[in-house]
Amino acid sequence: MTQRKLRLGAFIMATGHHIAAWRHPGSQIDSGVNIDHYIEVAQTAERGLFDQVFVADSPGIGFRGGEEALRRQGRVSYFEPVTLWAALSAVTKHIGFVATASTTYEDPYLLARKFASLDHISKGRAAWNVVTTSADNVHGNFGLDAHPDPALRYERAHEFVQVVKGLWDSFEDDAFVRDAASGVYFDPAKLHALNHVGKHFRVKGPLNLERPPQGYPVIVQAGSSEDGKELAAATAEAIFTAWTSPAEAQAFYGDVKGRMAKYGRRPEQLLVLPGISPVIGRTEEEAQAKWAELQALIHPAVGLAAIAPFWPGEDVSRWDLDAPPPYIPEAPKGIQSRTQVVLELARRERFTVRQLYEYLAGARGHWVVVGTPAQIADRMQEWFENGAADGFNVMPPVLPASLNEFVDLVVPELQRRGLFRTAYEGRTLRENLGLERPGNAFAQAQRAAA
Amino acid sequence: MTQRKLRLGAFIMATGHHIAAWRHPGSQIDSGVNIDHYIEVAQTAERGLFDQVFVADSPGIGFRGGEEALRRQGRVSYFEPVTLWAALSAVTKHIGFVATASTTYEDPYLLARKFASLDHISKGRAAWNVVTTSADNVHGNFGLDAHPDPALRYERAHEFVQVVKGLWDSFEDDAFVRDAASGVYFDPAKLHALNHVGKHFRVKGPLNLERPPQGYPVIVQAGSSEDGKELAAATAEAIFTAWTSPAEAQAFYGDVKGRMAKYGRRPEQLLVLPGISPVIGRTEEEAQAKWAELQALIHPAVGLAAIAPFWPGEDVSRWDLDAPPPYIPEAPKGIQSRTQVVLELARRERFTVRQLYEYLAGARGHWVVVGTPAQIADRMQEWFENGAADGFNVMPPVLPASLNEFVDLVVPELQRRGLFRTAYEGRTLRENLGLERPGNAFAQAQRAAA
């Protein structure tokens, strides 16, 4: 029996995940709009045999804190994900591309089309990270007076995904004949209009693009709220999540996989990939020194702006940095579960204000592991072999430097342990991830009726 | 004084512009979804020093004629333009990319963002062909009961372009400081929210992407109706148009450039680029034989489907192919002017049904020139030097074969005559086209107020 292998995604965030990364000499300072930087990063990830690269996204600018914090934020200008990945697909051969796109603010026909196009352009390496958009600063860009509430967003998301899949099925896989001699290009009997009429959408179809090489681009989900877990159980093939202890990760892993049966799905059809932000040193001392160097680059105004959303309405800038926050609020319902995790941690650890923002500074509450390649591999192996993860979404604190270190130092360690591939197995992202290629729903319905 | 140079765009349509191109051995039969084909074509156009490549687009499938015609249509499945050009920008250095996108069916924030992203990814080589979408088969994909009428579409288009430009101006050109030492990333005083409230859109902004390298991607327009000419005069920097005689082209050229003054624009800020579909032979006989070979590949059902839209409600399949159409209708008002041109021509030339569809088969009514490189260059020179064109949108009948011939045979002829460049002059598309980089409206308003 082949040993189960862990899956690796590289979660790419411009200059890196650490909040002060852009000030670090190991980052590319203008990377949000520097295509050569992204080419380098994607090619490095491919050299490291990563399954995929991933970018988060929101169609708007998130303003946090006052002007003093704003001018110090390095994340206000960045490429649109699908155009970015289309470009990188032309200069890579194996790695997959996970693009984030919003079911709340995009249109299903246009979205189905651009992801199908990306899947064809990349020859089967596209994935869609389905988000309902949690930022509250976006609705005004789309003529809305308010951000729709979570229940409505998730209801729309379920229908949106259904419509998009239906559009991807417009042409059956063998619809195209292309026989120059007879002059027959395709078989119209294998072209299907969706004729969707639902609560949120009416979409006639068909899509003007043949079925994606992967059938459907891989569906990814990243919310860990109740609604998010339900959407993942119903539709996702990979889920990005944020936990800092194996116990929490195990509970989540069991929870989300346990919800799949009611949608007629098997646990292995969904890969659970927690985030890990590795700070790598050849020795533990070197790793700790790197971490301290990064933390020292955080301007307090930026740190305070990072924690301010947990205390809505409060002017946190007046707080003593070296005392605990004056009070810990309850996490609002329906908000992404990371908020709950962070507030619970602050309460339990009696963090000072500075400790709290330094904790979040690493990777916004994701799991930060500071250590040697062997120590980092130990922790990944522990989670992987104990029902906490099917792999990881690696969040380099500084880009490109930290990704280079991971590929050069941690990947070989994982390979030595037999935990990670030594060559790509498949031609498509879906094949590399060990996910089945979905059948065409129209074709299946016709066969069932025959 | 430098001699005025003509501008060349390559209008790329999958297997080629001839309606039967996909059956020709010189075409790539699956080119609508074959990225390697498009890479080859873009690199060939760049070898030929073309200013730009261009794709038309509509977010839906146009069904024409019955099933007999439908199964023979080679244009039902093709890449989405912006993802396509993003990919090709990574494997080219100089050529510009004109992507068509609809102001009727897209969202201005998302559109502004993807074109800004493409402009950054390509380092200043993006252009947007602004269309209001003329196909009547699209509205159902977007939940509408009917295609909005032309007046409403153009009204929306004017506002849409205004919003998009406003979003591109969100950051002033010098907004980004990126000073690691002080920790200041950008100057918030140089970031502007649009706060647009209009008849069709409410868009707050700002865009989450710094100003495109070209200021704005080049704005292109392709409709030649009254509304289309007005939109071009107000906003476009290049216009694609379809004429078959120099007199008509001259009249159009003067008309559209004459409308610019009332928008405070100069005639040289708009390049008029008629389409030309060149069928090239080393001798005139070879060219005519190539043309005949292509025409012989047209199945009558496909030919009839191409002319059917001119006779709405009529069953053209029962007509005698070798007699003139039983009657010539009046062109409906508000429809693209190409319809009028075609019907007038059919009337004047007393075309048979077959002659009419063969005429349209070359490039859907665009100007087809069959001849030697010198003959084709003669015609281009005549138009260019007599107020009919600033350059041409070259529509290869078969792809990649006809583009190779144009680059190998016609481009050197144009260069020998001093009509066309021998090396790219600029770094961006705008620089190569000789178009000014627009200033930032917010910055200009502030300077004016100061």
Side-chain angles (χ1 to χ4, degrees):
Chain A
M1 186 185 141
T2 316
Q3 190 187 343
R4 173 174 164 255
K5 294 283 191 288
L6 62 78
R7 313 297 175 186
L8 288 184
F11 181 174
I12 305 305
M13 185 167 270
T15 51
H17 284 273
H18 191 280
I19 202 168
W22 73 267
R23 300 183 67 185
H24 191 278
S27 81
Q28 174 63 42
I29 200 163
D30 65 349
S31 60
V33 291
N34 184 325
I35 188 66
D36 298 321
H37 167 74
Y38 279 95
I39 291 173
E40 176 188 341
V41 161
Q43 290 179 340
T44 299
E46 185 165 275
R47 177 165 66 80
L49 304 175
F50 274 65
D51 290 282
Q52 66 215 12
V53 284
F54 161 60
V55 282
D57 193 64
S58 184
I61 298 182
F63 295 111
R64 280 183 175 177
E67 190 161 314
E68 184 58 35
L70 183 60
R71 70 174 69 251
R72 299 171 181 283
Q73 279 179 23
R75 293 171 189 154
V76 290
S77 167
Y78 42 87
F79 295 123
E80 183 279 329
V82 178
T83 45
L84 173 63
W85 291 150
L88 299 200
S89 75
V91 291
T92 54
K93 284 203 182 317
H94 303 286
I95 198 153
F97 295 102
V98 187
T100 299
S102 171
T103 55
T104 303
Y105 295 109
E106 299 216 19
D107 167 86
Y109 193 93
L110 298 176
L111 185 143
R113 191 176 177 213
K114 72 180 178 180
F115 276 90
S117 192
L118 180 64
D119 206 44
H120 279 288
I121 286 169
S122 65
K123 300 178 182 176
R125 296 185 282 144
W128 171 27
N129 177 35
V130 180
V131 299
T132 68
T133 304
S134 60
D136 198 32
N137 52 359
V138 172
H139 60 268
N141 296 332
F142 299 90
L144 299 186
D145 290 322
H147 192 43
D149 75 30
L152 193 68
R153 296 205 311 270
Y154 275 95
E155 184 186 86
R156 182 179 150 112
H158 279 270
E159 187 179 334
F160 195 117
V161 173
Q162 186 190 343
V163 169
V164 167
K165 286 181 175 177
L167 289 170
W168 285 335
D169 281 342
S170 294
F171 290 95
E172 295 183 35
D173 286 313
D174 58 352
F176 287 86
V177 181
R178 296 194 177 103
D179 181 33
S182 69
V184 174
Y185 195 77
F186 80 105
D187 180 357
K190 295 184 171 172
L191 171 61
H192 305 280
L194 182 61
N195 291 315
H196 173 88
V197 178
K199 180 172 171 187
H200 297 274
F201 304 104
R202 283 192 302 144
V203 183
K204 187 154 181 278
L207 193 65
N208 55 357
L209 189 49
E210 58 204 85
R211 199 152 189 261
Q214 296 186 102
Y216 307 151
V218 175
I219 303 288
V220 177
Q221 210 274 334
S224 300
S225 66
E226 283 300 305
D227 285 335
K229 282 186 282 198
E230 214 56 37
L231 182 64
T235 68
E237 299 170 290
I239 183 164
F240 298 153
T241 183
W243 304 106
T244 53
S245 78
E248 290 167 317
Q250 283 161 344
F252 176 83
Y253 188 99
D255 179 4
V256 70
K257 295 215 178 197
R259 296 170 190 239
M260 296 174 71
K262 68 174 177 285
Y263 297 105
R265 304 183 67 208
R266 290 170 283 112
E268 62 271 26
Q269 292 179 297
L270 172 61
L271 302 167
V272 177
L273 307 176
I276 177 172
S277 191
V279 182
I280 308 161
R282 284 164 205 272
T283 64
E284 204 175 325
E285 293 68 35
E286 187 183 288
Q288 291 294 349
K290 277 190 185 173
W291 180 237
E293 183 193 0
L294 272 166
Q295 297 292 57
L297 292 173
I298 307 169
H299 190 281
V302 174
L304 288 166
I307 66 167
F310 299 115
W311 282 268
E314 184 77 37
D315 180 6
V316 301
S317 69
R318 297 178 310 170
W319 289 356
D320 179 355
L321 298 183
D322 296 307
Y327 66 99
I328 307 281
E330 291 303 312
K333 282 204 191 301
I335 295 298
Q336 55 194 131
S337 62
R338 200 164 50 77
T339 304
Q340 292 164 328
V341 173
V342 169
L343 292 175
E344 184 48 43
L345 194 78
R347 194 190 316 270
R348 193 172 64 227
E349 304 282 336
R350 296 181 188 276
F351 277 157
T352 66
V353 170
R354 191 194 304 275
Q355 283 170 326
L356 179 58
Y357 76 59
E358 285 188 350
Y359 169 78
L360 289 170
R364 303 175 316 287
H366 282 261
W367 187 31
V368 177
V369 184
V370 183
T372 66
Q375 288 172 327
I376 290 166
D378 284 348
R379 303 297 299 280
M380 293 172 76
Q381 184 165 4
E382 179 194 353
W383 285 40
F384 178 60
E385 292 180 345
N386 291 285
D390 294 312
F392 297 91
N393 208 18
V394 177
M395 304 168 67
V398 176
L399 281 165
S402 311
L403 184 65
N404 287 330
E405 293 164 359
F406 190 91
V407 166
D408 292 335
L409 301 173
V410 180
V411 165
E413 180 65 30
L414 296 170
Q415 289 170 326
R416 270 191 293 277
R417 299 178 186 201
L419 296 171
F420 190 58
R421 67 165 63 89
T422 53
Y424 285 104
E425 303 87 10
R427 291 168 307 111
T428 66
L429 173 59
R430 201 169 268 288
E431 288 173 5
N432 285 324
L433 288 173
L435 296 168
E436 291 161 15
R437 184 177 189 278
N440 183 308
F442 290 108
Q444 288 169 335
Q446 283 180 336
R447 273 198 298 277
Chain B
M1 189 185 140
T2 316
Q3 190 186 345
R4 175 172 164 254
K5 294 282 192 287
L6 62 77
R7 313 296 173 186
L8 287 184
F11 181 175
I12 304 305
M13 185 168 271
T15 51
H17 284 272
H18 192 279
I19 202 169
W22 74 266
R23 300 183 67 186
H24 191 278
S27 81
Q28 175 63 42
I29 200 162
D30 66 349
S31 60
V33 291
N34 184 325
I35 188 65
D36 298 321
H37 167 74
Y38 279 95
I39 291 173
E40 177 188 341
V41 161
Q43 290 179 340
T44 299
E46 185 164 276
R47 178 166 65 78
L49 305 175
F50 274 66
D51 290 282
Q52 64 213 14
V53 284
F54 161 60
V55 283
D57 193 63
S58 184
I61 298 181
F63 295 112
R64 281 184 174 176
E67 190 161 314
E68 184 58 35
L70 184 59
R71 70 172 70 249
R72 298 170 181 284
Q73 279 179 23
R75 292 170 189 155
V76 290
S77 167
Y78 42 87
F79 295 121
E80 183 278 329
V82 178
T83 46
L84 173 62
W85 292 150
L88 298 201
S89 75
V91 292
T92 53
K93 285 203 182 316
H94 303 286
I95 199 156
F97 296 101
V98 187
T100 299
S102 172
T103 55
T104 303
Y105 295 109
E106 300 215 17
D107 167 86
Y109 193 92
L110 298 176
L111 186 142
R113 190 174 177 217
K114 73 180 178 180
F115 276 90
S117 191
L118 180 63
D119 206 44
H120 279 288
I121 286 170
S122 64
K123 300 179 183 174
R125 295 185 284 143
W128 171 27
N129 177 34
V130 180
V131 298
T132 67
T133 305
S134 60
D136 198 31
N137 52 358
V138 173
H139 59 269
N141 296 331
F142 299 90
L144 299 186
D145 291 321
H147 191 43
D149 74 30
L152 193 68
R153 295 206 311 271
Y154 275 96
E155 183 186 86
R156 182 178 150 112
H158 280 270
E159 186 178 335
F160 195 116
V161 172
Q162 185 190 346
V163 169
V164 167
K165 287 182 176 176
L167 290 170
W168 285 334
D169 282 342
S170 294
F171 289 96
E172 294 183 36
D173 287 313
D174 58 351
F176 287 85
V177 181
R178 296 195 176 102
D179 181 33
S182 68
V184 173
Y185 196 77
F186 80 105
D187 179 357
K190 294 183 173 173
L191 171 61
H192 305 280
L194 182 62
N195 290 316
H196 173 87
V197 179
K199 179 171 172 189
H200 297 275
F201 304 104
R202 282 193 302 146
V203 183
K204 187 153 181 277
L207 193 66
N208 55 356
L209 188 51
E210 58 203 84
R211 199 152 190 260
Q214 297 186 103
Y216 308 151
V218 176
I219 303 289
V220 178
Q221 209 274 334
S224 300
S225 66
E226 283 301 305
D227 285 336
K229 282 185 283 198
E230 214 55 39
L231 182 63
T235 67
E237 298 170 290
I239 182 164
F240 298 154
T241 182
W243 303 106
T244 53
S245 77
E248 290 167 318
Q250 283 162 343
F252 176 83
Y253 188 99
D255 179 5
V256 71
K257 295 218 177 193
R259 294 170 191 240
M260 296 174 71
K262 67 174 176 285
Y263 298 105
R265 304 182 69 208
R266 289 170 284 110
E268 61 271 26
Q269 292 178 298
L270 172 62
L271 303 167
V272 177
L273 307 176
I276 177 172
S277 192
V279 182
I280 307 162
R282 283 166 206 271
T283 64
E284 203 176 327
E285 294 68 37
E286 187 183 287
Q288 291 294 348
K290 276 191 185 172
W291 181 237
E293 183 193 1
L294 273 166
Q295 297 292 57
L297 292 172
I298 308 169
H299 191 282
V302 174
L304 288 166
I307 66 167
F310 299 115
W311 282 268
E314 184 78 36
D315 181 6
V316 300
S317 71
R318 298 180 308 172
W319 289 355
D320 179 356
L321 298 183
D322 296 307
Y327 66 98
I328 307 281
E330 291 303 310
K333 283 205 190 301
I335 296 296
Q336 54 194 135
S337 63
R338 201 164 50 77
T339 305
Q340 293 164 329
V341 173
V342 169
L343 292 175
E344 184 49 42
L345 193 77
R347 195 190 314 270
R348 195 171 63 225
E349 304 282 336
R350 296 181 185 278
F351 277 157
T352 66
V353 170
R354 191 192 307 273
Q355 283 171 328
L356 179 58
Y357 76 60
E358 285 188 351
Y359 168 78
L360 288 170
R364 304 177 315 288
H366 281 259
W367 187 32
V368 177
V369 184
V370 183
T372 65
Q375 288 172 326
I376 290 166
D378 284 347
R379 304 297 299 276
M380 294 172 75
Q381 183 166 1
E382 179 195 353
W383 286 39
F384 177 61
E385 294 181 343
N386 290 284
D390 295 313
F392 297 91
N393 207 19
V394 177
M395 305 168 68
V398 177
L399 282 164
S402 312
L403 184 64
N404 287 330
E405 293 164 358
F406 190 91
V407 166
D408 292 336
L409 301 172
V410 181
V411 166
E413 180 64 31
L414 295 170
Q415 289 170 327
R416 269 192 292 277
R417 299 180 186 200
L419 297 170
F420 190 57
R421 66 164 62 90
T422 52
Y424 285 105
E425 303 86 11
R427 292 169 306 110
T428 67
L429 173 59
R430 200 170 270 288
E431 287 172 4
N432 284 323
L433 288 173
L435 296 168
E436 290 161 15
R437 185 177 189 277
N440 184 310
F442 290 108
Q444 288 168 336
Q446 283 180 336
R447 272 199 298 276

